[in-house]
Amino acid sequence: MTKRKSIVAALLLSLACDAEVPVETSVESQIERGRYLVTVGGCHDCHTPWEPTDHGAAPDMSRALSGHPALLDMPDPPATNGPWIVALAGTNTAYAGPWGVSFTANLTPDEETGLGTWDTETFVATIRNGRHLGRGRPLLPPMPAANYAQMTDEDLAAVFAYLRSLPPVRNRVPAPRPPVVASL
Amino acid sequence: MTHTVPILLLVACGEVVEPSLAPIPARLSHTGLFVEGTTDARPELIAFSPQYPLWTDGAEKRRWVELPAPIDASDPDDWRFPPGTRFWKDFSREGRRVETRYLEALPDGTWRYATYVWDEDGRDATLAGERGARVGDHVVPSVNDCVACHEGRRSPVLGFGALQLSGDRDPLAPHGSAHADDVDLAALVDRGLVRGLPEALRAPRIDAESPVERAALGYLHGNCGGCHDDRGPLRSLGFVLWRSLVDDRGRETLRAASVFTDAAHPATQRVVAGDPALSMVAIRMGSRTPHLQMPPIGTEVVDEAALALVVEWIRNERNVP
């Protein structure tokens, strides 16, 4: 092999070996990546209670990602009519539809009422499998789990790292309610 | 140069290109289950029936395994299966085959799952799509459902272990009948297919205060212990229904407070001695409301026989928290 070809080959070798995608390695950068994904992914839309403000409804960031407020007792949902099949609470944290009533989960790291005892594997399995704890009851609408299941392992891990960095909020979200079967 | 560079690239990058695995066969007849030209299982496969089988809404089941090498049973609670191990599990309803599930141990230590839906003419079965299917009342699981159940412990093999294959079969085990050609644990040990198992565990049984308790704990082991143990992803729940053959760990967790609560039910304990109505285990076993039912996957009909057994056990339970 000539010297010119050797240099070309060496360059090709180095380029081919340097084929790995850069990965966020620092904890801080992972958390920041997670914060970005949670923001653009719209998690606050449902998992942070919304409240009326002078500028219209907005998420109450003092209860960021803490889910449906435990003290907000929801009455039975209203009857729906024709193509109108969903009702939602003013907080955006409770949804009623053909599946029953779902309440958005507390995603803060509170050990008793949030994700405090979860690990990254459990969180990723929950999103990938669309099941609570990765193998329990199905995640209910309107959780767009099928969309988030397309995220990479690195991105899901970053989301979880960000959630773990939040202040824990003690808020025991009520269990879902089954659909009401109309009596004949 | 044109042939040398790719090789140099591979060598210089330190990569070894593994040959790709053969894809999962599209037809069950190509998986190695049948005698060629028939739908009979190959006679060299090992037929077995766990004594505490998983409830699948009354479906009749047959099971077979192919072992290319012995199992390492030095951890009696967690067997190590050799690469190339293959399991098949056949589901029938009213005498007609509807589904056959397939589990295969790969060379890298992982496993792959597939399931096949039987053709109307009963001559073969076709690989189901990743999202599963429904055949009448029978639900064929999705790949995610397979993973959810089978990857709750280190080994994804459920229903094939020392307790489940013990020749000391529990006469009260719900749906626990065996077939004439089934092989049990002692036979597997004698044939050298299970190695490292302590002699004292040749025919194990659950240690219990009554026959009803033995059967109830066995049922919970077989139907719930795959997820509810102290080693897998759900260990943080602190709820152990997997019965260890090494020690009695986790039994006290049955009487602990329930992590799951529901405003519709006053129960707060998993098992309340003497009171099934206040025992979350019985409440969830007896429900098929999606957010409440247990197990959460693979069943749409309550196992009434097993529920009656567990209710009887709780009603007679003497231990008080």
PDB file of all heavy atoms in Angstrom, chain B residues 268-301:
ATOM      1  N   THR B 268     -57.657  -1.922  53.740  1.00  0.00           N
ATOM      2  CA  THR B 268     -56.351  -1.276  53.733  1.00  0.00           C
ATOM      3  C   THR B 268     -55.219  -2.269  53.943  1.00  0.00           C
ATOM      4  O   THR B 268     -54.062  -1.908  53.820  1.00  0.00           O
ATOM      5  CB  THR B 268     -56.261  -0.207  54.838  1.00  0.00           C
ATOM      6  OG1 THR B 268     -56.530  -0.843  56.096  1.00  0.00           O
ATOM      7  CG2 THR B 268     -57.254   0.914  54.607  1.00  0.00           C
ATOM      8  N   GLN B 269     -55.568  -3.521  54.252  1.00  0.00           N
ATOM      9  CA  GLN B 269     -54.566  -4.552  54.480  1.00  0.00           C
ATOM     10  C   GLN B 269     -54.636  -5.579  53.355  1.00  0.00           C
ATOM     11  O   GLN B 269     -55.687  -5.801  52.762  1.00  0.00           O
ATOM     12  CB  GLN B 269     -54.834  -5.289  55.798  1.00  0.00           C
ATOM     13  CG  GLN B 269     -54.859  -4.412  57.030  1.00  0.00           C
ATOM     14  CD  GLN B 269     -53.479  -3.920  57.397  1.00  0.00           C
ATOM     15  OE1 GLN B 269     -53.214  -2.728  57.396  1.00  0.00           O
ATOM     16  NE2 GLN B 269     -52.603  -4.848  57.714  1.00  0.00           N
ATOM     17  N   ARG B 270     -53.502  -6.207  53.116  1.00  0.00           N
ATOM     18  CA  ARG B 270     -53.500  -7.221  52.057  1.00  0.00           C
ATOM     19  C   ARG B 270     -54.337  -8.428  52.480  1.00  0.00           C
ATOM     20  O   ARG B 270     -55.170  -8.901  51.706  1.00  0.00           O
ATOM     21  CB  ARG B 270     -52.063  -7.649  51.753  1.00  0.00           C
ATOM     22  CG  ARG B 270     -51.285  -6.537  51.061  1.00  0.00           C
ATOM     23  CD  ARG B 270     -49.799  -6.762  51.095  1.00  0.00           C
ATOM     24  NE  ARG B 270     -49.104  -5.678  50.406  1.00  0.00           N
ATOM     25  CZ  ARG B 270     -47.823  -5.397  50.571  1.00  0.00           C
ATOM     26  NH1 ARG B 270     -47.072  -6.129  51.381  1.00  0.00           N
ATOM     27  NH2 ARG B 270     -47.268  -4.388  49.911  1.00  0.00           N
ATOM     28  N   VAL B 271     -54.085  -8.926  53.688  1.00  0.00           N
ATOM     29  CA  VAL B 271     -54.872 -10.033  54.241  1.00  0.00           C
ATOM     30  C   VAL B 271     -55.220  -9.676  55.676  1.00  0.00           C
ATOM     31  O   VAL B 271     -54.332  -9.379  56.483  1.00  0.00           O
ATOM     32  CB  VAL B 271     -54.090 -11.363  54.202  1.00  0.00           C
ATOM     33  CG1 VAL B 271     -54.835 -12.453  54.963  1.00  0.00           C
ATOM     34  CG2 VAL B 271     -53.859 -11.812  52.761  1.00  0.00           C
ATOM     35  N   VAL B 272     -56.497  -9.695  55.996  1.00  0.00           N
ATOM     36  CA  VAL B 272     -56.946  -9.512  57.365  1.00  0.00           C
ATOM     37  C   VAL B 272     -57.455 -10.858  57.860  1.00  0.00           C
ATOM     38  O   VAL B 272     -58.419 -11.405  57.308  1.00  0.00           O
ATOM     39  CB  VAL B 272     -58.069  -8.455  57.451  1.00  0.00           C
ATOM     40  CG1 VAL B 272     -58.606  -8.361  58.876  1.00  0.00           C
ATOM     41  CG2 VAL B 272     -57.552  -7.105  56.978  1.00  0.00           C
ATOM     42  N   ALA B 273     -56.788 -11.398  58.874  1.00  0.00           N
ATOM     43  CA  ALA B 273     -57.150 -12.725  59.373  1.00  0.00           C
ATOM     44  C   ALA B 273     -58.625 -12.770  59.718  1.00  0.00           C
ATOM     45  O   ALA B 273     -59.143 -11.939  60.475  1.00  0.00           O
ATOM     46  CB  ALA B 273     -56.304 -13.055  60.605  1.00  0.00           C
ATOM     47  N   GLY B 274     -59.325 -13.745  59.134  1.00  0.00           N
ATOM     48  CA  GLY B 274     -60.722 -13.940  59.449  1.00  0.00           C
ATOM     49  C   GLY B 274     -61.695 -13.111  58.644  1.00  0.00           C
ATOM     50  O   GLY B 274     -62.914 -13.326  58.730  1.00  0.00           O
ATOM     51  N   ASP B 275     -61.226 -12.153  57.836  1.00  0.00           N
ATOM     52  CA  ASP B 275     -62.154 -11.247  57.171  1.00  0.00           C
ATOM     53  C   ASP B 275     -61.773 -11.048  55.696  1.00  0.00           C
ATOM     54  O   ASP B 275     -61.065 -10.099  55.348  1.00  0.00           O
ATOM     55  CB  ASP B 275     -62.197  -9.904  57.882  1.00  0.00           C
ATOM     56  CG  ASP B 275     -63.462  -9.113  57.549  1.00  0.00           C
ATOM     57  OD1 ASP B 275     -64.043  -9.366  56.475  1.00  0.00           O
ATOM     58  OD2 ASP B 275     -63.871  -8.264  58.355  1.00  0.00           O
ATOM     59  N   PRO B 276     -62.267 -11.907  54.805  1.00  0.00           N
ATOM     60  CA  PRO B 276     -61.938 -11.743  53.373  1.00  0.00           C
ATOM     61  C   PRO B 276     -62.442 -10.424  52.798  1.00  0.00           C
ATOM     62  O   PRO B 276     -61.823  -9.875  51.886  1.00  0.00           O
ATOM     63  CB  PRO B 276     -62.654 -12.931  52.717  1.00  0.00           C
ATOM     64  CG  PRO B 276     -62.912 -13.908  53.816  1.00  0.00           C
ATOM     65  CD  PRO B 276     -63.048 -13.119  55.067  1.00  0.00           C
ATOM     66  N   ALA B 277     -63.568  -9.915  53.318  1.00  0.00           N
ATOM     67  CA  ALA B 277     -64.144  -8.683  52.758  1.00  0.00           C
ATOM     68  C   ALA B 277     -63.246  -7.481  52.980  1.00  0.00           C
ATOM     69  O   ALA B 277     -63.390  -6.466  52.283  1.00  0.00           O
ATOM     70  CB  ALA B 277     -65.526  -8.437  53.367  1.00  0.00           C
ATOM     71  N   LEU B 278     -62.358  -7.561  53.965  1.00  0.00           N
ATOM     72  CA  LEU B 278     -61.428  -6.468  54.239  1.00  0.00           C
ATOM     73  C   LEU B 278     -60.017  -6.784  53.750  1.00  0.00           C
ATOM     74  O   LEU B 278     -59.077  -6.055  54.052  1.00  0.00           O
ATOM     75  CB  LEU B 278     -61.391  -6.171  55.742  1.00  0.00           C
ATOM     76  CG  LEU B 278     -62.633  -5.484  56.315  1.00  0.00           C
ATOM     77  CD1 LEU B 278     -62.445  -5.247  57.815  1.00  0.00           C
ATOM     78  CD2 LEU B 278     -62.923  -4.168  55.611  1.00  0.00           C
ATOM     79  N   SER B 279     -59.869  -7.861  52.997  1.00  0.00           N
ATOM     80  CA  SER B 279     -58.549  -8.300  52.527  1.00  0.00           C
ATOM     81  C   SER B 279     -58.396  -7.913  51.061  1.00  0.00           C
ATOM     82  O   SER B 279     -59.096  -8.437  50.188  1.00  0.00           O
ATOM     83  CB  SER B 279     -58.396  -9.809  52.693  1.00  0.00           C
ATOM     84  OG  SER B 279     -58.516 -10.183  54.055  1.00  0.00           O
ATOM     85  N   MET B 280     -57.442  -7.019  50.788  1.00  0.00           N
ATOM     86  CA  MET B 280     -57.276  -6.512  49.427  1.00  0.00           C
ATOM     87  C   MET B 280     -56.907  -7.627  48.461  1.00  0.00           C
ATOM     88  O   MET B 280     -57.252  -7.552  47.281  1.00  0.00           O
ATOM     89  CB  MET B 280     -56.206  -5.407  49.419  1.00  0.00           C
ATOM     90  CG  MET B 280     -56.190  -4.564  48.159  1.00  0.00           C
ATOM     91  SD  MET B 280     -57.751  -3.764  47.751  1.00  0.00           S
ATOM     92  CE  MET B 280     -57.647  -2.266  48.725  1.00  0.00           C
ATOM     93  N   VAL B 281     -56.213  -8.661  48.940  1.00  0.00           N
ATOM     94  CA  VAL B 281     -55.862  -9.772  48.040  1.00  0.00           C
ATOM     95  C   VAL B 281     -57.129 -10.398  47.469  1.00  0.00           C
ATOM     96  O   VAL B 281     -57.250 -10.624  46.261  1.00  0.00           O
ATOM     97  CB  VAL B 281     -55.019 -10.823  48.789  1.00  0.00           C
ATOM     98  CG1 VAL B 281     -54.972 -12.134  48.009  1.00  0.00           C
ATOM     99  CG2 VAL B 281     -53.605 -10.315  49.004  1.00  0.00           C
ATOM    100  N   ALA B 282     -58.089 -10.690  48.330  1.00  0.00           N
ATOM    101  CA  ALA B 282     -59.328 -11.316  47.878  1.00  0.00           C
ATOM    102  C   ALA B 282     -60.157 -10.351  47.035  1.00  0.00           C
ATOM    103  O   ALA B 282     -60.780 -10.755  46.036  1.00  0.00           O
ATOM    104  CB  ALA B 282     -60.136 -11.804  49.077  1.00  0.00           C
ATOM    105  N   ILE B 283     -60.169  -9.095  47.431  1.00  0.00           N
ATOM    106  CA  ILE B 283     -60.961  -8.110  46.677  1.00  0.00           C
ATOM    107  C   ILE B 283     -60.443  -7.995  45.248  1.00  0.00           C
ATOM    108  O   ILE B 283     -61.214  -7.997  44.288  1.00  0.00           O
ATOM    109  CB  ILE B 283     -60.908  -6.744  47.390  1.00  0.00           C
ATOM    110  CG1 ILE B 283     -61.691  -6.804  48.697  1.00  0.00           C
ATOM    111  CG2 ILE B 283     -61.458  -5.640  46.487  1.00  0.00           C
ATOM    112  CD1 ILE B 283     -61.496  -5.598  49.600  1.00  0.00           C
ATOM    113  N   ARG B 284     -59.141  -7.906  45.105  1.00  0.00           N
ATOM    114  CA  ARG B 284     -58.581  -7.718  43.760  1.00  0.00           C
ATOM    115  C   ARG B 284     -58.647  -8.999  42.938  1.00  0.00           C
ATOM    116  O   ARG B 284     -58.867  -8.958  41.729  1.00  0.00           O
ATOM    117  CB  ARG B 284     -57.146  -7.193  43.864  1.00  0.00           C
ATOM    118  CG  ARG B 284     -57.066  -5.837  44.565  1.00  0.00           C
ATOM    119  CD  ARG B 284     -55.717  -5.188  44.420  1.00  0.00           C
ATOM    120  NE  ARG B 284     -55.590  -4.551  43.105  1.00  0.00           N
ATOM    121  CZ  ARG B 284     -54.536  -3.815  42.727  1.00  0.00           C
ATOM    122  NH1 ARG B 284     -53.531  -3.644  43.555  1.00  0.00           N
ATOM    123  NH2 ARG B 284     -54.486  -3.283  41.522  1.00  0.00           N
ATOM    124  N   MET B 285     -58.486 -10.155  43.589  1.00  0.00           N
ATOM    125  CA  MET B 285     -58.649 -11.430  42.873  1.00  0.00           C
ATOM    126  C   MET B 285     -60.063 -11.574  42.343  1.00  0.00           C
ATOM    127  O   MET B 285     -60.299 -12.166  41.278  1.00  0.00           O
ATOM    128  CB  MET B 285     -58.409 -12.610  43.815  1.00  0.00           C
ATOM    129  CG  MET B 285     -57.013 -13.086  43.942  1.00  0.00           C
ATOM    130  SD  MET B 285     -56.931 -14.580  44.967  1.00  0.00           S
ATOM    131  CE  MET B 285     -57.717 -15.789  43.907  1.00  0.00           C
ATOM    132  N   GLY B 286     -61.019 -11.044  43.091  1.00  0.00           N
ATOM    133  CA  GLY B 286     -62.411 -11.208  42.728  1.00  0.00           C
ATOM    134  C   GLY B 286     -62.954 -10.130  41.812  1.00  0.00           C
ATOM    135  O   GLY B 286     -64.157 -10.082  41.560  1.00  0.00           O
ATOM    136  N   SER B 287     -62.107  -9.267  41.315  1.00  0.00           N
ATOM    137  CA  SER B 287     -62.541  -8.184  40.443  1.00  0.00           C
ATOM    138  C   SER B 287     -61.982  -8.368  39.042  1.00  0.00           C
ATOM    139  O   SER B 287     -60.876  -8.884  38.867  1.00  0.00           O
ATOM    140  CB  SER B 287     -62.057  -6.844  41.005  1.00  0.00           C
ATOM    141  OG  SER B 287     -62.287  -5.794  40.067  1.00  0.00           O
ATOM    142  N   ARG B 288     -62.718  -7.912  38.057  1.00  0.00           N
ATOM    143  CA  ARG B 288     -62.178  -7.806  36.711  1.00  0.00           C
ATOM    144  C   ARG B 288     -62.394  -6.369  36.188  1.00  0.00           C
ATOM    145  O   ARG B 288     -62.421  -6.131  34.968  1.00  0.00           O
ATOM    146  CB  ARG B 288     -62.793  -8.844  35.765  1.00  0.00           C
ATOM    147  CG  ARG B 288     -62.225 -10.259  35.988  1.00  0.00           C
ATOM    148  CD  ARG B 288     -60.721 -10.265  35.845  1.00  0.00           C
ATOM    149  NE  ARG B 288     -60.090 -11.559  36.046  1.00  0.00           N
ATOM    150  CZ  ARG B 288     -59.530 -11.928  37.194  1.00  0.00           C
ATOM    151  NH1 ARG B 288     -59.530 -11.126  38.239  1.00  0.00           N
ATOM    152  NH2 ARG B 288     -58.944 -13.125  37.288  1.00  0.00           N
ATOM    153  N   THR B 289     -62.524  -5.428  37.117  1.00  0.00           N
ATOM    154  CA  THR B 289     -62.445  -4.017  36.752  1.00  0.00           C
ATOM    155  C   THR B 289     -60.988  -3.709  36.443  1.00  0.00           C
ATOM    156  O   THR B 289     -60.120  -4.002  37.268  1.00  0.00           O
ATOM    157  CB  THR B 289     -62.915  -3.138  37.927  1.00  0.00           C
ATOM    158  OG1 THR B 289     -64.248  -3.496  38.249  1.00  0.00           O
ATOM    159  CG2 THR B 289     -62.833  -1.681  37.576  1.00  0.00           C
ATOM    160  N   PRO B 290     -60.685  -3.165  35.285  1.00  0.00           N
ATOM    161  CA  PRO B 290     -59.276  -3.079  34.838  1.00  0.00           C
ATOM    162  C   PRO B 290     -58.302  -2.467  35.831  1.00  0.00           C
ATOM    163  O   PRO B 290     -57.177  -2.955  35.948  1.00  0.00           O
ATOM    164  CB  PRO B 290     -59.381  -2.240  33.561  1.00  0.00           C
ATOM    165  CG  PRO B 290     -60.737  -2.549  33.021  1.00  0.00           C
ATOM    166  CD  PRO B 290     -61.611  -2.715  34.221  1.00  0.00           C
ATOM    167  N   HIS B 291     -58.709  -1.416  36.551  1.00  0.00           N
ATOM    168  CA  HIS B 291     -57.726  -0.790  37.431  1.00  0.00           C
ATOM    169  C   HIS B 291     -57.605  -1.520  38.765  1.00  0.00           C
ATOM    170  O   HIS B 291     -56.689  -1.236  39.532  1.00  0.00           O
ATOM    171  CB  HIS B 291     -58.100   0.679  37.695  1.00  0.00           C
ATOM    172  CG  HIS B 291     -59.124   0.881  38.771  1.00  0.00           C
ATOM    173  ND1 HIS B 291     -60.476   0.835  38.540  1.00  0.00           N
ATOM    174  CD2 HIS B 291     -58.991   1.106  40.102  1.00  0.00           C
ATOM    175  CE1 HIS B 291     -61.117   1.042  39.672  1.00  0.00           C
ATOM    176  NE2 HIS B 291     -60.257   1.198  40.636  1.00  0.00           N
ATOM    177  N   LEU B 292     -58.517  -2.447  39.030  1.00  0.00           N
ATOM    178  CA  LEU B 292     -58.548  -3.118  40.323  1.00  0.00           C
ATOM    179  C   LEU B 292     -58.107  -4.579  40.236  1.00  0.00           C
ATOM    180  O   LEU B 292     -57.520  -5.102  41.160  1.00  0.00           O
ATOM    181  CB  LEU B 292     -59.971  -3.037  40.900  1.00  0.00           C
ATOM    182  CG  LEU B 292     -60.236  -3.607  42.284  1.00  0.00           C
ATOM    183  CD1 LEU B 292     -59.427  -2.860  43.337  1.00  0.00           C
ATOM    184  CD2 LEU B 292     -61.718  -3.509  42.610  1.00  0.00           C
ATOM    185  N   GLN B 293     -58.358  -5.247  39.113  1.00  0.00           N
ATOM    186  CA  GLN B 293     -58.177  -6.678  39.030  1.00  0.00           C
ATOM    187  C   GLN B 293     -56.728  -7.095  39.244  1.00  0.00           C
ATOM    188  O   GLN B 293     -55.781  -6.393  38.912  1.00  0.00           O
ATOM    189  CB  GLN B 293     -58.654  -7.221  37.683  1.00  0.00           C
ATOM    190  CG  GLN B 293     -57.742  -6.876  36.492  1.00  0.00           C
ATOM    191  CD  GLN B 293     -58.169  -7.623  35.237  1.00  0.00           C
ATOM    192  OE1 GLN B 293     -59.131  -7.226  34.586  1.00  0.00           O
ATOM    193  NE2 GLN B 293     -57.463  -8.690  34.900  1.00  0.00           N
ATOM    194  N   MET B 294     -56.596  -8.307  39.780  1.00  0.00           N
ATOM    195  CA  MET B 294     -55.309  -8.966  39.856  1.00  0.00           C
ATOM    196  C   MET B 294     -55.526 -10.430  39.454  1.00  0.00           C
ATOM    197  O   MET B 294     -56.457 -11.056  39.942  1.00  0.00           O
ATOM    198  CB  MET B 294     -54.715  -8.890  41.272  1.00  0.00           C
ATOM    199  CG  MET B 294     -53.974  -7.612  41.521  1.00  0.00           C
ATOM    200  SD  MET B 294     -52.474  -7.522  40.488  1.00  0.00           S
ATOM    201  CE  MET B 294     -52.222  -5.740  40.490  1.00  0.00           C
ATOM    202  N   PRO B 295     -54.665 -10.978  38.597  1.00  0.00           N
ATOM    203  CA  PRO B 295     -53.604 -10.296  37.865  1.00  0.00           C
ATOM    204  C   PRO B 295     -54.145  -9.237  36.902  1.00  0.00           C
ATOM    205  O   PRO B 295     -55.291  -9.340  36.479  1.00  0.00           O
ATOM    206  CB  PRO B 295     -52.927 -11.436  37.080  1.00  0.00           C
ATOM    207  CG  PRO B 295     -53.439 -12.698  37.647  1.00  0.00           C
ATOM    208  CD  PRO B 295     -54.765 -12.392  38.261  1.00  0.00           C
ATOM    209  N   PRO B 296     -53.288  -8.296  36.511  1.00  0.00           N
ATOM    210  CA  PRO B 296     -53.749  -7.241  35.605  1.00  0.00           C
ATOM    211  C   PRO B 296     -53.725  -7.626  34.142  1.00  0.00           C
ATOM    212  O   PRO B 296     -54.256  -6.898  33.310  1.00  0.00           O
ATOM    213  CB  PRO B 296     -52.742  -6.108  35.863  1.00  0.00           C
ATOM    214  CG  PRO B 296     -51.497  -6.818  36.267  1.00  0.00           C
ATOM    215  CD  PRO B 296     -51.920  -8.033  37.017  1.00  0.00           C
ATOM    216  N   ILE B 297     -53.100  -8.751  33.834  1.00  0.00           N
ATOM    217  CA  ILE B 297     -52.925  -9.170  32.434  1.00  0.00           C
ATOM    218  C   ILE B 297     -53.375 -10.617  32.281  1.00  0.00           C
ATOM    219  O   ILE B 297     -53.226 -11.437  33.191  1.00  0.00           O
ATOM    220  CB  ILE B 297     -51.427  -9.093  32.025  1.00  0.00           C
ATOM    221  CG1 ILE B 297     -50.856  -7.699  32.239  1.00  0.00           C
ATOM    222  CG2 ILE B 297     -51.227  -9.517  30.578  1.00  0.00           C
ATOM    223  CD1 ILE B 297     -49.366  -7.615  31.982  1.00  0.00           C
ATOM    224  N   GLY B 298     -53.916 -10.917  31.100  1.00  0.00           N
ATOM    225  CA  GLY B 298     -54.110 -12.313  30.732  1.00  0.00           C
ATOM    226  C   GLY B 298     -55.361 -12.982  31.255  1.00  0.00           C
ATOM    227  O   GLY B 298     -55.517 -14.197  31.127  1.00  0.00           O
ATOM    228  N   THR B 299     -56.268 -12.225  31.846  1.00  0.00           N
ATOM    229  CA  THR B 299     -57.494 -12.826  32.341  1.00  0.00           C
ATOM    230  C   THR B 299     -58.608 -11.800  32.346  1.00  0.00           C
ATOM    231  O   THR B 299     -58.393 -10.657  32.758  1.00  0.00           O
ATOM    232  CB  THR B 299     -57.311 -13.428  33.749  1.00  0.00           C
ATOM    233  OG1 THR B 299     -58.589 -13.776  34.295  1.00  0.00           O
ATOM    234  CG2 THR B 299     -56.614 -12.487  34.688  1.00  0.00           C
ATOM    235  N   GLU B 300     -59.779 -12.251  31.906  1.00  0.00           N
ATOM    236  CA  GLU B 300     -60.957 -11.388  31.910  1.00  0.00           C
ATOM    237  C   GLU B 300     -62.077 -11.997  32.748  1.00  0.00           C
ATOM    238  O   GLU B 300     -63.152 -11.396  32.863  1.00  0.00           O
ATOM    239  CB  GLU B 300     -61.439 -11.156  30.471  1.00  0.00           C
ATOM    240  CG  GLU B 300     -60.419 -10.426  29.601  1.00  0.00           C
ATOM    241  CD  GLU B 300     -60.897 -10.226  28.171  1.00  0.00           C
ATOM    242  OE1 GLU B 300     -61.783 -10.991  27.724  1.00  0.00           O
ATOM    243  OE2 GLU B 300     -60.387  -9.302  27.494  1.00  0.00           O
ATOM    244  N   VAL B 301     -61.835 -13.188  33.299  1.00  0.00           N
ATOM    245  CA  VAL B 301     -62.862 -13.903  34.064  1.00  0.00           C
ATOM    246  C   VAL B 301     -62.261 -14.295  35.407  1.00  0.00           C
ATOM    247  O   VAL B 301     -61.137 -14.818  35.470  1.00  0.00           O
ATOM    248  CB  VAL B 301     -63.315 -15.173  33.302  1.00  0.00           C
ATOM    249  CG1 VAL B 301     -64.324 -15.967  34.112  1.00  0.00           C
ATOM    250  CG2 VAL B 301     -63.886 -14.801  31.938  1.00  0.00           C
TER     251      VAL B 301
END
